[in-house]
Amino acid sequence: MISKMKTGQVLKIGLELHCQLTNLQTKLFCDCLSNYRNSSPNENTCPICLGLPGTLPLLNKKAVEFASMICMAFNCNIPEKISFYRKNYFYPDLPKNYQITQYNSYELSSIGYEGAIEFVGESKSKTDTSADDQERSKVRIARVQLEEDPGKITYEEDKSAVNNYSLIDYNRAGVSLVEIVTEPDFSSPLAVRTFLKEIVNLFEYLGVTDPSLEGSVRCDVNVSLGGGKKVEIKNISSFKEVEKSIYYEITRQKTLIMHDIDVKSETRHWDEKRKVTVAARSKEEEEEYRYFPEPDIPRIILGSKFVSRVRATLPELPIERLKRYTDVYKISDHTAKILINDKRISDFFEESLRYYKSPIEISNWIVNELLTKINEKDRQGISDHNVRGLDFLSVLPSQVAEVAKLVEEKSLNRNIARDIFDKSIESGTSPLKIIENLEIEKISDEASIIKIIQDILNSQPQLIEQSKNNPNVINYVLGLIMKETRGRVNPQIAMKLIKESLEAN
Amino acid sequence: MGTDIKKLCALAKLEIPEQNIAEISGKVKEVLLMFDKLDEFTTEGFEIKSTEDLKFERAFENLRDDRPRPTLESSGKTRPKLKLKNTKDGYVLGPRI
Amino acid sequence: MRSLYELPAFVVSRKIQDQEISAEEYISIIIERIKEVDSKVNSFTSLNFEGALTMSRAIDKKIKEGINTGLLTGIPVGIKDNISVQGLKNTCASRMLSEYVSPYDATVVSKIKEQGGIIIGKLNMDEFGMGTTSEYSSFGPVRNPWDLEYVAGGSSGGSAASVASLQIPLSLGSDTGGSIRCPSSFCSVIGIKPTYGSVSRSGLISYSNSLEQIGPIARTIYDLVPILNVISGEDPKDNTTVHKKYDYQLNTIDNLLTKKYKVGVLNEFIDDSEIEVARTSQKKVKQLEDYGCELEDTRIPLADYALASYYVIATAEASSNLSRYDNLRYGYEGSPEGYEWNSYFSESRSKFGDEVKLRILLGSYVLSAGYFGKYYAKAQTIRSMIKREFDILFNKYDILLLPTMPVLPFKLGEKISQPIEQYNLDVYTILANLAGLTAISIPAGLSEKGFPIGVQLIANAFDEQKLIDAAVILERAEGFEKWIPRI
């Protein structure tokens, strides 16, 4: 599914994703905390992650397991033995001035290789009839590798030229990172966006990372036009920027081609403020990483049973969930996709089912009512980051289940149910409670209304006399009743009863 | 042998004074000539797999468990803190990038 | 009567445990001896006298209280300055690390402390272990106690010279391509390179990780074995250590006479050595025969390729290991303020000595784009082949015999700045490192002019016991304890 741009040049985009394994307790090679985000500068460090002389890396078992789970989700092959390599380059955020990573040029070293993943694709609106025939896109995965994150460099002043020095914090150094390299199988920035959204969701399903944490999932991009040289874009801070940077790069390359200037194979940085890519270094420099096998880490024997053992612990993946929703629950493909595309929504759905097992009804309430609400709030700019959240609404799965149950079992009118649901969402009260309150408040028994009328007539006996000449008295009395009861009585019934009462007196 | 010593110095981040370049360049060449002995060796008739080297192997099961180190308070031990040089508010002072 | 500093460690340790003398008295005597001698030998880079005295008092107290104080009770141990000791400077004899104090103990150091050993100071060496003479040191060269104008051998020159000159009875060195055995041979002490994976490298500042091991140096095999037992063992802090029972024995001669070890004599190496070295090696062959060993000539066909293979791997690993020294987090005085990072790194790293720079450049070259296959991969292949040849030999022999060094100690400055000439001196020692085997250098005699000669024995991986047995035999045969330099 290679699409041609308007100029007729084939566009090929590949991704290099970096996913921090934030759900680990410790770093990749030492027992410092994997969660570096709450520490003051350089507090979450030890001789190993600071690369002090004489320290040796001690590989985290669980990190290997988590990385292999990602491989499984991407349908990669997992070799029986894995090994680590040193990628040698100098940079002040790198405590050892080399990064321990994996590398497949001299042997099969990485935890995963040659995978492929279909992405479900964004569900279009219901009116879009093509939605069901929409083809699933397939992306090939070149490799998945486990490596360490570097530290972080900051400045006191925003403009780097003003600064006389930089400030380095090594708290992040050594945190487990999984790099996923795709083949250049994307043909549009939009496809990239859809894919990224889904991948983030997938990571969440796997339980290896919390994508809502800043910097936990990062992405580099490579773009080539018309079979030309590949340009890599690094330094992209968020997924929104990924799309923008690709658009920019396409335009830049097109302009070059138009002027008969060769596109150089290089790495460019995305300048978020100026919204341009800037040349960073040439490929030639990059080839000097002087990779060689890390002598301090033995080759790790995963063994023949490793894959089956980890696979058994693998949580249900979105694609499997989708199948279950459509096949077992008979939910429409459209609705099911919306549910699974956000793990938290899907989990919410699952939880609701525990209170009332009517998947179709519940799924409709979530997709048509709840998500509409959330999207409204979204548009008001309440939530941001890579993942939208339910957190800001104090909705419980039981609330949705109750509404669904009221409609299905007590044949509650849908419009009223919708009102009740809205009230429930806003107040956090359970729908059942709201219904109960409403029913108590509705004064429909005639005896109660007659009592109110009598009380009014007793306090204002002149009304009986006046009513004989003035038909407006009935309306006046009704007004008093409404005032008294704060409008809880049925006006038709009340009118009838007022008439009867006046006549009887 | 196209060894550009200056390029190599840049790669290895080593500053070598101009007046020493010729000498060190000569030594590098001399040693590389010794390394060329490797070219005389042919692996014909030998079957060597890339994984059949001297690299140690370790079973996955024997790797480190994902457990944070006990905090200093609970272990009762005081871990001597490394004194990083040139710090400011806990950050390590670095050069300009 | 001999002074305490002349006695073997195990003898003194016994006296301390029996409360014949106190650990404090002994350490005080050792301190005096070091003060008297080391200005001539230059074997120490830093001293830990206060700390040592404090530790000795603690040991005396324990002994009085009847608490078991361990295999090395009261024994001062010198540590090569590339092995981390908490709170002490750890310079690797480099200006790059002139201010670096280690915040942690190497595993071997913790183990020595646990067994009552006392860290007396750090020992001089070739910068980062790169050298065969201990002349490439920011502290100046180590001098050979047998003649102060001569090299002590390297890179663990301080470790060998301090023990040979009766300053301390025990030291730790590290051996990447002969760095324990060469100075042991040149100074007439006994030094062992343990099997790769039997001693933790945690805390050893890496020069070439896949080749090197920490090992002890002593004046007699009876002192060497206890400390070897102490430092050997699997370490959770070093994933390249091997789980095994390490319990080396000092067998009696009667027991050894029944073992009848098969010894392969690497005659080509003996013949290629200086005449006095060759003659002495043959004498050792004879002595082993006298004690019931069976000797046979043999050879290692691929030895010709060993040197190139070794130096490609060592420099490649070194170039990467030494990258971390950029003087940002630790190192020496100086601040990056005002610098652009490339120039700061290059300028900071200019503090490396010339030999280290040379090896970093070589290593960077052999790993650079397009050369990996020509150099590194080829070197590793040859390494595997050499290992195979050893496997075949060890099917036949228990032990291989060859000289430690092809030459006698030479004058200071004689081979300085001549890389190839120096590298060529390593040809006999690098074999054991390439193949991950264990090897020992045992004093074999003195030349006519009174310079030490060492004989080297190599055994299969984890066959240290065979080397120890042979050392007991050779020590019995000639009693090398009497070879003490006059200083």
Side-chain angles (χ1 to χ4, degrees), chain A residues 25-28 30-32 41-42 45 58-61 65 81 90-91 155-156 163 165-166 168 288 294 297-301 309, chain B residues 11-13 50-51 53 55-61 63-69 79 82 88-97:
Chain A
Q25 294 280 312
T26 65
K27 292 183 178 181
L28 186 54
C30 65
D31 56 8
C32 284
N42 292 310
T45 57
L58 303 169
L59 182 60
N60 184 335
K61 192 197 289 178
E65 230 167 71
K81 292 175 184 180
F90 289 88
Y91 211 66
Y155 289 102
E156 282 173 347
N163 290 283
Y165 52 83
S166 59
I168 318 173
E288 292 299 2
E294 167 58 80
I297 305 176
R299 192 172 278 123
I300 307 298
I301 310 165
R309 196 179 55 71
Chain B
L11 184 66
K13 296 272 179 290
S50 65
T51 50
D53 49 30
K55 202 166 163 74
F56 262 55
E57 297 195 335
R58 197 172 186 88
F60 166 79
E61 288 72 24
L63 295 178
R64 175 176 65 88
D65 285 321
D66 185 30
R67 258 196 307 273
R69 67 170 157 269
R79 192 166 61 97
L82 169 79
K88 189 171 183 188
D89 306 326
Y91 290 98
V92 171
L93 226 57
R96 283 181 288 113
I97 305 301

Side-chain angles (χ1 to χ4, degrees), chain B residues 1-5 8-17 20 23-43 45-49 52-58 62-64 78-86 92-97, chain C residues 86 103 196-197 234 239-242 302 304-305 307-309 311-312 315 327-342 344-347 349-350 352 354 357-358 360-362 364-366 374-375 378-379 381-385 387-388 417 419-420 423 434-435:
Chain B
M1 205 166 306
T3 46
D4 183 343
I5 213 75
L8 212 49
C9 286
L11 184 66
K13 296 272 179 290
L14 284 179
E15 194 181 88
I16 290 174
N20 297 353
E23 191 198 339
I24 195 134
S25 180
K27 283 184 186 172
V28 167
K29 281 187 186 134
E30 194 188 341
V31 179
L32 288 179
L33 217 58
M34 184 264 276
F35 287 177
D36 283 346
K37 179 80 185 167
L38 297 177
D39 293 339
E40 293 171 21
F41 181 81
T42 51
T43 44
F46 300 111
E47 191 68 29
I48 287 261
K49 287 191 209 117
E52 204 193 311
D53 49 30
L54 281 176
K55 202 166 163 74
F56 262 55
E57 297 195 335
R58 197 172 186 88
N62 295 333
L63 295 178
R64 175 176 65 88
T78 47
R79 192 166 61 97
K81 260 204 119 134
L82 169 79
K83 264 184 65 197
L84 291 163
K85 54 176 278 187
N86 299 325
V92 171
L93 226 57
R96 283 181 288 113
I97 305 301
Chain C
Q86 187 187 313
Y196 190 84
E234 191 188 19
N239 276 339
T240 62
T241 52
V242 176
L302 282 175
D304 282 354
Y305 300 101
L307 195 70
S309 168
Y311 271 97
V312 165
T315 56
N327 205 30
L328 278 185
R329 297 155 295 276
Y330 51 85
Y332 58 92
E333 264 181 60
S335 160
E337 217 171 316
Y339 278 92
E340 185 275 331
W341 76 274
N342 278 293
Y344 182 72
F345 276 28
S346 299
E347 197 180 307
R349 289 164 58 77
S350 69
F352 284 125
D354 288 345
K357 282 182 187 165
L358 173 64
I360 291 175
L361 291 176
L362 286 165
S364 302
Y365 182 81
V366 299
K374 176 177 163 66
Y375 295 111
K378 194 82 175 276
T381 303
I382 290 170
R383 190 178 177 182
S384 304
M385 303 298 302
K387 171 76 166 86
R388 276 195 204 174
S417 283
I420 292 295
Y423 300 173
L434 281 170

Side-chain angles (χ1 to χ4, degrees), chain A residues 210-228:
Chain A
D210 178 355
S212 68
L213 294 172
E214 198 211 330
S216 60
V217 185
R218 313 191 285 264
C219 179
D220 298 337
V221 181
N222 56 71
V223 179
S224 72
L225 264 183

Side-chain angles (χ1 to χ4, degrees), chain C residues 159-445:
Chain C
S159 304
S162 59
V163 172
S165 56
L166 305 181
Q167 300 186 62
I168 49 174
L170 283 178
S171 69
L172 289 187
S174 67
D175 191 310
T176 311
S179 284
I180 288 174
R181 290 160 286 158
C182 160
S184 293
S185 170
F186 278 9
C187 296
S188 196
V189 286
I190 184 164
I192 188 166
K193 182 207 97 74
T195 303
Y196 190 84
S198 67
V199 176
S200 169
R201 288 183 297 115
S202 175
L204 168 67
I205 282 78
S206 299
Y207 154 27
S208 181
N209 332 45
S210 74
L211 294 164
E212 64 206 4
Q213 282 284 285
I214 292 171
I217 292 175
R219 288 193 290 267
T220 152
I221 187 70
Y222 295 93
D223 276 354
L224 195 77
V225 171
I227 191 170
L228 184 61
N229 275 327
V230 167
I231 63 171
S232 299
E234 191 188 19
D235 180 12
K237 288 182 184 161
D238 178 357
N239 276 339
T240 62
T241 52
V242 176
H243 178 73
K244 242 187 161 72
K245 193 165 172 252
Y246 301 90
D247 184 17
Y248 306 119
Q249 302 296 323
L250 283 156
N251 290 312
T252 62
I253 281 291
D254 289 345
N255 189 338
L256 294 177
L257 282 170
T258 65
K259 294 217 172 182
K260 305 205 180 305
Y261 284 131
K262 288 199 173 66
V263 181
V265 180
L266 298 172
N267 257 323
E268 285 174 15
F269 292 142
I270 294 176
D271 295 345
D272 284 348
S273 306
E274 278 183 25
I275 183 73
E276 287 189 280
V277 173
R279 214 179 287 144
T280 308
S281 302
Q282 295 300 355
K283 188 174 74 185
K284 293 293 131 180
V285 170
K286 181 76 179 38
Q287 285 171 1
L288 286 174
E289 244 168 355
D290 293 346
Y291 280 82
C293 296
E294 292 171 29
L295 286 101
E296 198 179 298
D297 289 349
T298 188
R299 59 188 293 268
I300 299 165
L302 282 175
D304 282 354
Y305 300 101
L307 195 70
S309 168
Y310 169 84
Y311 271 97
V312 165
I313 293 165
T315 56
E317 290 181 4
S319 71
S320 172
N321 288 328
L322 271 57
S323 290
R324 70 185 67 191
Y325 307 114
D326 54 21
N327 205 30
L328 278 185
R329 297 155 295 276
Y330 51 85
Y332 58 92
E333 264 181 60
S335 160
E337 217 171 316
Y339 278 92
E340 185 275 331
W341 76 274
N342 278 293
S343 57
Y344 182 72
F345 276 28
S346 299
E347 197 180 307
S348 297
R349 289 164 58 77
S350 69
K351 287 280 190 292
F352 284 125
D354 288 345
E355 180 62 25
V356 173
K357 282 182 187 165
L358 173 64
R359 296 197 193 187
I360 291 175
L361 291 176
L362 286 165
S364 302
Y365 182 81
V366 299
L367 287 177
S368 62
Y371 290 114
F372 186 89
K374 176 177 163 66
Y375 295 111
Y376 190 86
K378 194 82 175 276
Q380 288 289 12
T381 303
I382 290 170
R383 190 178 177 182
S384 304
M385 303 298 302
I386 288 173
K387 171 76 166 86
R388 276 195 204 174
E389 289 191 343
F390 273 111
D391 287 344
I392 293 163
L393 289 178
F394 286 123
N395 275 332
K396 241 171 131 183
Y397 308 110
D398 297 298
I399 295 167
L400 299 172
L401 184 148
L402 68 166
T404 307
M405 299 300 290
V407 298
L408 293 168
F410 43 89
K411 273 197 164 161
L412 286 163
E414 199 181 300
K415 291 185 175 23
I416 209 160
S417 283
Q418 298 178 63
I420 292 295
E421 249 192 83
Q422 275 216 17
Y423 300 173
N424 275 324
L425 298 174
D426 301 339
V427 283
Y428 300 170
T429 46
I430 55 176
L431 293 164
N433 301 82
L434 281 170
L437 309 170
T438 180
I440 194 167
S441 177
I442 302 169

Side-chain angles (χ1 to χ4, degrees), chain C residues 97-114:
Chain C
L97 289 177
S98 59
E99 300 296 324
Y100 173 65
V101 175
S102 175
Y104 72 102
D105 275 335
T107 298
V108 290
V109 171
S110 319
K111 285 181 162 184
I112 286 171
K113 287 179 177 174
E114 278 162 26

